[in-house]
Amino acid sequence: MSFRLHKGPAPRLLLLYGQHSSTVQVLRGSCCIPHAAGYNVTVLVRDPARLPANKKPTRIVVGDVLNKSDVSKAVEGQDAVIIVLGTGADLDYLLWDIAKVPSYFLPVTEDHVRMYQVLKDSGLDYVAVLPPYITDDKPLTKDYTVKVDQCGGDVISVQDLSHFFLRCLTSTEYDGKSVTLSRDY
């Protein structure tokens, strides 16, 4: 999700995270890159001990993304929000014809389709990023393939995914779109 940032002192950026291992990987990548770009970073996490020891955000809000008051507290005063909630699976199937989705993915797919519709109807500027397998053993390249409204490749590094999130904060190129990204490492 992307919101235009204001001009002035260090923008405030909120990262909302789940606790699945792939989202924690993105947290490790995203938590340091925004600081280098001059952002004041707030994170909402259930367990602050899972944050990288050497890459602490500006502000930590302990809470649960499923608790509306925790989310409201964390979002208040932010200029931009990046939401990283994992399913534990590759999300490319969210772009498939619903009739072709495997039955074991149908409930989570239907839930994501409902959430995506709420996002589209919200009036917010957003970018829906549906990454493939997220790996933490590949480098930041800043050279990855972005596909709009179609399935992408098989893998993206934590660092490249984090780079793309920040790219979306300063560009309108992908606003209102659903994208996948990947790289052949």
Side-chain angles (χ1 to χ4, degrees):
M1 176 183 294
S2 168
F3 300 89
R4 253 6 81 229
L5 296 173
H6 73 289
K7 293 181 181 179
R12 292 168 298 205
L13 171 66
L14 171 68
L15 305 171
L16 297 175
Y17 289 97
Q19 293 293 320
H20 189 276
S21 62
S22 63
T23 59
V24 172
Q25 286 179 24
V26 176
L27 173 58
R28 290 186 181 119
S30 299
C31 212
C32 61
I33 293 174
H35 287 300
Y39 294 100
N40 288 315
V41 179
T42 296
V43 296
L44 171 62
V45 293
R46 287 188 303 236
D47 181 6
R50 295 188 71 183
L51 290 169
N54 61 341
K55 299 172 184 167
K56 293 291 184 191
T58 308
R59 179 174 164 238
I60 299 170
V61 176
V62 178
D64 191 325
V65 296
L66 299 176
N67 182 313
K68 186 176 180 178
S69 66
D70 290 346
V71 173
S72 294
K73 179 180 171 185
V75 170
E76 186 177 334
Q78 303 303 320
D79 299 309
V81 178
I82 297 174
I83 302 170
V84 183
L85 299 172
T87 62
D90 184 330
L91 296 179
D92 276 352
Y93 63 87
L94 293 176
L95 298 171
W96 296 357
D97 176 343
I98 197 81
K100 295 179 182 177
V101 173
S103 61
Y104 53 90
F105 279 134
L106 197 52
V108 72
T109 301
E110 290 170 339
D111 194 36
H112 277 85
V113 168
R114 281 189 297 274
M115 289 187 286
Y116 183 51
Q117 190 61 49
V118 167
L119 180 62
K120 290 192 308 187
D121 294 343
S122 71
L124 297 170
D125 292 330
Y126 71 89
V127 178
V129 181
L130 308 175
Y133 176 73
I134 302 168
T135 182
D136 62 357
D137 67 349
K138 302 296 181 194
L140 170 66
T141 66
K142 301 181 185 178
D143 180 28
Y144 40 80
T145 301
V146 179
K147 293 187 177 183
V148 177
D149 293 326
Q150 58 181 309
C151 295
D154 296 327
V155 68
I156 190 72
S157 74
V158 170
Q159 293 82 3
D160 278 339
L161 180 57
S162 298
H163 177 267
F164 183 74
F165 286 151
L166 292 177
R167 181 174 153 193
C168 289
L169 293 174
T170 58
S171 167
T172 59
E173 181 178 2
Y174 298 107
D175 279 8
K177 297 179 178 137
S178 174
V179 301
T180 59
L181 36 137
S182 63
R183 169 143 170 93
D184 182 15
Y185 294 93

